[in-house]
Amino acid sequence: MADAAGSFLEPLLGCLESTGMLDAATREVAAFLRVKANWGDLDKARDSLGAVEATVKARVAEEEDKLNVCDPQVQVWLRRVEELRRDTIDEDYGSLLKFSCLCQCTVHARRRAWIGKRVVEALEEVNKLTEEGRQFKKFGLKPPPDIVNLLPQMETFGLESMLTKLHDLLEKGDSNIIGVWGQGGIGKTTLLHVFNNDLEKRARDYQVVIFIEISNSETLNTIEIQQTISERLNLPWNESETVEKRAKFLVKALARKRFVLLLDDVRKKFRLEDVGIPTPDTNSQSKLILTSRYQEVCFQMGAQKNHIEMPVLDAAAAWNLFLSKLSNEACESLNSNNVVRQHAMAIFSNCGGLPLALNVIGTAVAGLEGPKEWISAANAINTNMDNIDGVDEMFYRLKYSYDRLTPIQQQCFLYCTLFPEYGSISKEQLVDYWLAEGLLLDDREKGYQIIRNLISACLLQTSSSVSSKVKMHHVIRHLGLWLASKTDQKFLVQAGMALDSAPSAEKWKEATRISIMSNDIKEISFSPKCRSLTTLLIQNNPNLNKLSWGFLKFMPSLKVLDLSHTAITSLPECDTLVALQHLDLSHTLITRLPERLWLLKELRHLDLSVTVALEDTLNNCSKLLKLRVLNLFRSHYGIHDVNDLNLDSLKALMFLGITIYAEDVLKKLNKTSPLAKSTYRLNLKYCREMQSIKISDLNHLVHLEELYVESCYDLNTLDADSELTTSGLELLTLSVLPSLENVIVAPMPHQFRHVRKLAISMCPKLKDITWVLKLEMLERLVITHCEGTLKIVEEDSSEGAEAMPDHPSEEQDDDADEWSSEGQSVCKTKPTDGRTHTGFSNLRSIVLTDVKKLRSICKPRDFPSLETIRVEDCPNLKSIPLSSSYNCGKLKQVCGSVEWWEKLEWEDEEGMESKLFIPI
């Protein structure tokens, strides 16, 4: 029976074993019976897992201290350990122990089986985790780079507009390379830091933003640039690779991404691909933004079309930056004491809006409180900025731009410090001085190129109002004087300092260059001994009327002497100035030249223009055979007789300014070559019986730039005809011409098409001036003391009138002329859309003085470039280009009397009156 039962169960057991059900049942029974034993094993296993977990966490902490991140596998393991810890098995097992009998009831038996199974599973999981934890070899990884790596950012002042421009350019599809340029210390790096951090808000638009400080001096640090790119892309670094191989690899890696690359302080051109940067193009949507001290570097790097010049801070932002550097006590003193505030403002002004200077000097004076301390600091900074703590370091930071210049460019830069701290410097005058000093080797164009180089290096600035002039930033000028003090040259510079007496003779002794221009010196009574002096600039001392007789006796090396715009009536004996090349006596009261001036054999530049008292030159001019520039323009001394035009001996002459008193002399000059070709400025004065001037008759004066016609009492007609098309006339003045009635300007091309400045004064019969519309290059219009037209231009706006062509024919001009009720001729041009489109596109300035019958300038038209209007003694003038209907958006100021302003008929638009009105 038993054998039969066994044989019957044997196939069943085999089936259960094959399905695993028997083993499962066995495990469940074991789990049911060994609950307590398994629980003890689980406690021990947990202790082992805890030890392994502590070791793993310690190793992870080590990696995080190295700025690495936890390995993802380790991170998952730690999360599983934490989840296991949160399991409720402890509570469930505790509830089971409350029952002492294994089979107290069916329900509790079932619960014991379930808990026993969970204990076994937990034990297996703990053992598995323990084993896995012991197998870890790597606990941390280098973290993937952020799209934007945030940079240190200081509080910014006045950068908002620059940031806006930069973001606007970033949005442009064709602006893949953007350049920002400006002088050292102006805030380019700060701007780039802020911009970099701003891009965090736009991280989704790009895959990586990389900031690299270039600062390439003599050799570009290519390896450092490549390391930065590799780190930001999380790429491996192989020291054994060549620079060239690594560059090719990085170009490919970056080309696969949309990137923004910020290159700070690029000082020399370099090829992007050579360091591992692909040139961004429109298709890649990547951007490269660079900053530089040099505009030319921005161009060379590919930012010719998308570049921004970094300006100095405006007054408000600069003042806030300056205040931020002061202590609370200093600020309180400044607010409560007018003397302190006055001198603090003086110190602030000397910084000229340059952030670097504001930071350095603001920090240097941060703790000042009492008036005496502020007065002392202001005086020290005004006279010699490098006396202030920290300024030497600032100058060393700025000095790189100077070090990068050639030796000749450095000398030319230092020369610019001879001019006053405020105001502009004539480019032409600079080049003239440099030529005389021997810095240019007779190459004027090289001089202008050096000026462009200095502008590009931000050591000079372009003048905002006059293209022919440059400026020097106050701090850069102090830098120049500081640099000059460290050379063998000795500069004595006291220009524009309101001096009423010259520096003592002792101070002149060792000087190589002296500038005491733009002061109020009245006399120089000593005879200084300065053997090494090469330049002496005394101009713009309007009350200087006396020089000692031996003043010029001991200056054998002098090459440049400028006494212009003084009141001197004679020049001391100067025959010892054997090296002199440049002598400027313009705008003086000198009556005659020294008898032995002809001994100055090296003289090449002699300026006697506007010498209103000069009676005679004693034929000295014709004996100065090396003269290249002779300027007698608007001098009282002029040529009366054809026989006096005896300058043919001046074979080297390149520039002639001349005053002519007779029509036959003019005819001879026009026929005399090379004098005619050398004539740039012509003053016709007191030419009796000359009734007309036809500009084309001056056909041999091919370089004529300025024509000044005055006091020719019989002159009736001036004809700018179209027979000659090579005229370059830019400046035209018509003054004291009581008979002048007609100025005829032909249709294009005509002789006045290049005129930029036009002045008309005391021409009472000149009734038609509408011809100014044909002067398309006109920038400045001055009309004074002319009894004349009701309008400068009158336009017929009647409906149905046909539009006049831009350059009407003479017949059309004649048809357009009408006579007003007062016998005054005005021209009526016919606009096409209520506004004419001819003339005045470049006009920047209008000056009207004592034009008593003038009622309006013109009806509404475009004045896109107009900046200033000045009106004096024009009681009937009630309409000027002011309201929006004139489209003069650049208008900055209108000068006039309060009474005239009140009578003006115009619309007050958005407080324009308070912005523009400047009372005379």
Side-chain angles (χ1 to χ4, degrees):
M1 187 77 176
D3 291 339
S7 61
F8 173 75
L9 292 174
E10 198 170 311
L12 179 61
L13 293 174
C15 181
L16 291 174
E17 282 184 7
S18 65
T19 60
M21 294 177 63
L22 189 60
D23 289 340
T26 303
R27 284 198 303 271
E28 288 192 14
V29 171
F32 181 87
L33 297 175
R34 289 179 50 81
V35 172
K36 287 187 178 181
N38 288 342
W39 184 260
D41 292 343
L42 178 60
D43 273 345
K44 293 176 184 177
R46 280 174 168 175
D47 291 341
S48 297
L49 178 60
V52 173
E53 181 188 23
T55 301
V56 170
K57 285 186 173 180
R59 297 294 301 273
V60 169
E62 289 178 12
E63 293 295 328
E64 289 177 342
D65 287 342
K66 299 174 184 176
L67 300 181
N68 291 330
V69 295
C70 182
D71 186 287
Q73 292 183 359
V74 175
Q75 201 168 27
V76 170
W77 182 85
L78 289 170
R79 187 164 58 247
R80 286 168 56 199
V81 171
E82 183 61 29
E83 289 172 354
L84 185 64
R85 187 177 288 114
R86 290 198 299 268
D87 197 340
T88 60
I89 191 172
D90 289 42
E91 297 175 8
D92 295 335
Y93 180 75
S95 66
L96 183 65
L97 294 180
K98 295 178 182 179
F99 303 95
S100 58
C101 180
L102 281 175
C103 300
Q104 188 171 17
C105 69
T106 305
V107 174
H108 292 127
R110 189 181 301 119
R111 183 174 181 82
R112 178 187 178 96
W114 176 69
I115 292 174
K117 182 180 179 181
R118 287 185 60 205
V119 170
V120 170
E121 289 174 349
L123 179 60
E124 291 174 352
E125 179 69 10
V126 168
N127 288 333
K128 183 180 179 181
L129 288 172
T130 302
E131 185 61 27
E132 287 179 4
R134 287 171 177 160
Q135 298 300 317
F136 288 134
K137 304 297 182 184
K138 187 177 181 181
F139 298 90
L141 293 173
K142 196 171 184 179
D146 294 327
I147 293 175
V148 178
N149 185 19
L150 296 180
L151 299 171
Q153 182 175 324
M154 298 174 60
E155 186 177 4
T156 58
F157 297 86
L159 289 181
E160 293 78 13
S161 62
M162 292 298 298
L163 279 169
T164 300
K165 289 181 181 179
L166 209 47
H167 280 292
D168 288 346
L169 282 177
L170 191 73
E171 294 293 334
K172 286 177 61 179
D174 61 345
S175 56
N176 300 97
I177 300 180
I178 302 167
V180 179
W181 65 284
Q183 66 194 73
I186 205 166
K188 300 184 296 296
T189 299
T190 302
L191 175 70
L192 219 55
H193 276 220
V194 176
F195 185 75
N196 175 88
N197 295 351
D198 276 358
L199 290 179
E200 187 182 32
K201 303 167 189 173
R202 301 185 48 187
R204 66 182 183 278
D205 296 337
Y206 299 96
Q207 293 171 291
V208 65
V209 176
I210 306 176
F211 178 95
I212 305 175
E213 186 175 353
I214 302 295
S215 299
N216 48 328
S217 50
E218 294 306 316
T219 305
L220 185 67
N221 196 336
T222 302
I223 292 178
E224 188 174 315
I225 294 172
Q226 292 180 338
Q227 283 178 330
T228 302
I229 296 173
S230 297
E231 288 173 7
R232 294 292 291 122
L233 297 181
N234 204 26
L235 296 173
W237 180 261
N238 187 349
E239 287 285 354
S240 62
E241 277 186 334
T242 63
V243 168
E244 293 77 14
K245 183 177 180 180
R246 196 183 297 118
K248 291 178 181 178
F249 173 72
L250 291 176
V251 165
K252 291 179 180 178
L254 263 178
R256 294 190 185 102
K257 295 182 177 290
R258 291 193 315 277
F259 63 82
V260 177
L261 202 61
L262 308 176
L263 304 182
D264 188 34
D265 201 12
V266 180
R267 301 182 183 181
K268 282 185 178 180
K269 173 191 174 184
F270 64 92
R271 190 170 177 269
L272 293 172
E273 284 76 6
D274 288 346
V275 299
I277 301 171
T279 301
D281 56 36
T282 305
N283 294 330
S284 70
Q285 297 182 335
S286 294
K287 306 285 184 176
L288 185 145
I289 301 171
L290 64 100
T291 68
S292 179
R293 299 186 185 193
Y294 313 100
Q295 183 185 35
E296 64 184 34
V297 171
C298 291
F299 292 167
Q300 291 166 355
M301 294 295 292
Q304 301 95 327
K305 295 182 179 179
N306 300 290
H307 58 92
I308 307 171
E309 181 181 3
M310 189 92 173
V312 296
L313 296 179
D314 62 42
W319 181 244
N320 289 333
L321 174 55
F322 182 71
L323 290 180
S324 73
K325 298 298 165 184
L326 304 184
S327 66
N328 292 335
E329 294 76 13
C331 289
E332 289 175 8
S333 178
L334 186 148
N335 290 326
S336 61
N337 189 307
N338 288 335
V339 175
V340 169
R341 185 174 182 84
Q342 175 188 345
H343 287 86
M345 289 293 291
I347 293 172
F348 158 76
S349 297
N350 269 287
C351 298
L354 186 67
L356 175 61
L358 290 161
N359 278 306
V360 170
I361 294 179
T363 302
V365 300
L368 302 185
E369 295 181 28
K372 289 185 178 179
E373 292 177 320
W374 282 99
I375 292 171
S376 176
N379 290 337
I381 291 175
N382 191 47
T383 56
N384 192 2
M385 187 179 282
D386 55 305
N387 285 332
I388 303 299
D389 289 342
V391 168
D392 264 10
E393 180 184 348
M394 175 179 74
F395 283 163
Y396 276 113
R397 287 178 62 185
L398 296 174
K399 183 175 176 283
Y400 177 81
S401 298
Y402 171 83
D403 290 339
R404 191 170 175 266
L405 302 175
T406 66
I408 293 298
Q409 291 171 342
Q410 289 177 347
Q411 286 297 310
C412 291
F413 165 69
L414 295 180
Y415 206 100
C416 297
T417 64
L418 300 176
F419 291 82
E421 192 160 327
Y422 300 95
S424 299
I425 308 170
S426 164
K427 294 179 184 178
E428 183 180 10
Q429 189 175 46
L430 270 179
V431 173
D432 286 339
Y433 290 161
W434 294 342
L435 280 167
E437 278 268 5
L439 298 175
L440 302 180
L441 299 177
D442 299 332
D443 187 349
R444 290 191 69 85
E445 181 50 39
K446 181 181 178 182
Y448 289 107
Q449 180 59 52
I450 288 175
I451 291 174
R452 289 191 288 270
N453 291 339
L454 294 177
I455 291 172
S456 178
C458 298
L459 295 173
L460 287 181
Q461 300 173 336
T462 55
S463 175
S464 58
S465 57
V466 185
S467 60
S468 62
K469 295 188 177 184
V470 291
K471 299 185 296 183
M472 179 174 264
H473 190 281
H474 317 317
V475 175
I476 298 300
R477 181 173 181 270
H478 282 287
L479 168 69
L481 292 171
W482 177 77
L483 290 167
S485 70
K486 300 186 179 301
T487 68
D488 294 335
Q489 302 178 70
K490 302 297 180 184
F491 282 30
L492 174 58
V493 182
Q494 295 187 14
M497 298 181 66
L499 302 180
D500 55 13
S501 60
S504 64
E506 187 64 28
K507 293 182 178 179
W508 294 49
K509 208 169 186 181
E510 303 298 324
T512 55
R513 290 172 182 157
I514 295 176
S515 175
I516 52 175
M517 69 169 81
S518 302
N519 284 300
D520 192 27
I521 299 170
K522 297 175 177 60
E523 67 172 306
I524 303 178
S525 55
F526 51 83
S527 301
K529 296 180 180 179
C530 27
R531 301 282 179 183
S532 302
L533 187 64
T534 60
T535 289
L536 177 57
L537 306 179
I538 311 180
Q539 66 263 35
N540 296 316
N541 279 279
N543 295 311
L544 178 63
N545 57 19
K546 183 179 180 182
L547 298 173
S548 70
W549 189 247
F551 176 65
L552 301 173
K553 189 174 182 180
F554 304 107
M555 301 179 185
S557 302
L558 193 65
K559 296 180 178 179
V560 176
L561 175 60
D562 197 330
L563 288 161
S564 62
H565 294 274
T566 63
I568 60 170
T569 57
S570 62
L571 185 68
E573 280 301 326
C574 55
D575 48 298
T576 57
L577 302 181
V578 292
L580 192 66
Q581 294 199 21
H582 183 108
L583 176 59
D584 193 340
L585 297 169
S586 63
H587 295 269
T588 63
L589 301 178
I590 190 169
T591 56
R592 61 175 54 203
L593 298 180
E595 291 185 9
R596 294 190 290 179
L597 186 75
W598 63 272
L599 290 173
L600 308 185
K601 301 292 187 181
E602 296 301 315
L603 197 61
R604 301 187 180 196
H605 183 117
L606 177 59
D607 194 341
L608 296 165
S609 60
V610 201
T611 44
V612 294
L614 186 64
E615 297 287 348
D616 199 352
T617 65
L618 303 176
N619 285 323
N620 270 311
C621 297
S622 59
K623 299 175 183 177
L624 299 169
L625 303 183
K626 289 190 177 182
L627 271 186
R628 296 190 175 190
V629 174
L630 173 60
N631 196 354
L632 287 159
F633 177 71
R634 294 187 60 202
S635 170
H636 181 64
Y637 173 79
I639 310 300
H640 291 79
D641 189 273
V642 290
N643 296 323
D644 293 333
L645 195 64
N646 57 349
L647 301 175
D648 293 338
S649 57
L650 304 181
K651 304 297 183 183
L653 194 65
M654 300 174 65
F655 179 101
L656 176 63
I658 192 168
T659 299
I660 289 177
Y661 285 87
E663 188 174 7
D664 57 345
V665 177
L666 176 61
K667 290 178 180 179
K668 180 181 178 181
L669 174 66
N670 188 45
K671 294 177 181 178
T672 305
S673 187
L675 278 186
K677 292 182 180 179
S678 301
T679 302
Y680 281 75
R681 293 176 187 165
L682 174 62
N683 179 201
L684 301 178
K685 189 175 182 180
Y686 299 123
C687 294
R688 296 179 179 85
E689 300 180 359
M690 184 170 70
Q691 296 183 357
S692 66
I693 300 174
K694 192 174 183 180
I695 302 299
S696 63
D697 287 343
L698 308 178
N699 55 342
H700 292 298
L701 307 181
V702 292
H703 292 128
L704 186 64
E705 293 179 350
E706 182 169 5
L707 176 62
Y708 198 112
V709 184
E710 62 175 317
S711 302
C712 296
Y713 299 124
D714 297 322
L715 185 66
N716 174 266
T717 301
L718 179 64
D719 186 357
D721 54 317
S722 59
E723 292 182 21
L724 179 67
T725 60
T726 57
S727 173
L729 191 66
E730 295 184 3
L731 310 172
L732 174 64
T733 302
L734 306 174
S735 178
V736 195
L737 304 173
S739 301
L740 184 64
E741 294 185 49
N742 303 305
V743 176
I744 301 172
V745 180
M748 285 288 284
H750 56 73
Q751 297 306 304
F752 288 167
R753 67 185 181 279
H754 296 300
V755 170
R756 294 183 297 105
K757 296 181 181 179
L758 171 66
I760 304 173
S761 65
M762 290 183 278
C763 298
K765 290 186 178 181
L766 188 59
K767 297 171 182 177
D768 179 1
I769 58 172
T770 306
W771 47 271
V772 298
L773 278 172
K774 298 180 183 179
L775 309 186
E776 294 190 341
M777 303 300 292
L778 189 65
E779 296 177 8
R780 179 176 172 83
L781 174 63
V782 180
I783 302 176
T784 64
H785 305 286
C786 289
E787 297 178 10
T789 60
L790 295 175
K791 293 182 168 99
I792 294 176
V793 179
E794 179 175 304
E795 294 134 336
D796 184 2
S797 59
S798 59
E799 293 184 4
E802 295 183 2
M804 296 281 284
D806 282 358
H807 305 291
S809 66
E810 292 183 30
E811 290 81 5
Q812 287 171 318
D813 280 347
D814 292 338
D815 292 340
D817 285 352
E818 294 185 1
W819 291 93
S820 71
S821 59
E822 297 185 22
Q824 296 160 320
S825 174
V826 295
C827 178
K828 297 186 177 182
T829 62
K830 302 176 182 180
T832 60
D833 57 358
R835 178 177 292 168
T836 62
H837 300 284
T838 59
F840 299 149
S841 59
N842 293 296
L843 190 63
R844 296 169 58 185
S845 173
I846 298 175
V847 178
L848 303 170
T849 304
D850 194 19
V851 191
K852 297 188 184 300
K853 294 181 181 179
L854 187 66
R855 294 182 182 176
S856 70
I857 294 176
C858 64
K859 290 185 178 180
R861 63 161 53 245
D862 287 350
F863 285 85
S865 303
L866 188 62
E867 296 177 358
T868 62
I869 302 174
R870 183 179 181 90
V871 177
E872 294 185 59
D873 199 14
C874 297
N876 292 311
L877 182 61
K878 296 180 180 179
S879 174
I880 62 173
L882 190 58
S883 65
S884 59
S885 59
Y886 282 91
N887 186 22
C888 46
K890 291 188 178 180
L891 190 62
K892 297 177 182 177
Q893 62 182 37
V894 177
C895 306
S897 67
V898 177
E899 294 78 14
W900 167 77
W901 187 266
E902 291 173 348
K903 294 178 182 178
L904 198 60
E905 297 173 356
W906 64 289
E907 299 174 9
D908 184 2
E909 300 176 6
E910 298 181 2
M912 193 181 293
E913 179 176 358
S914 60
K915 295 178 184 177
L916 297 177
F917 176 44
I918 299 178
I920 295 176

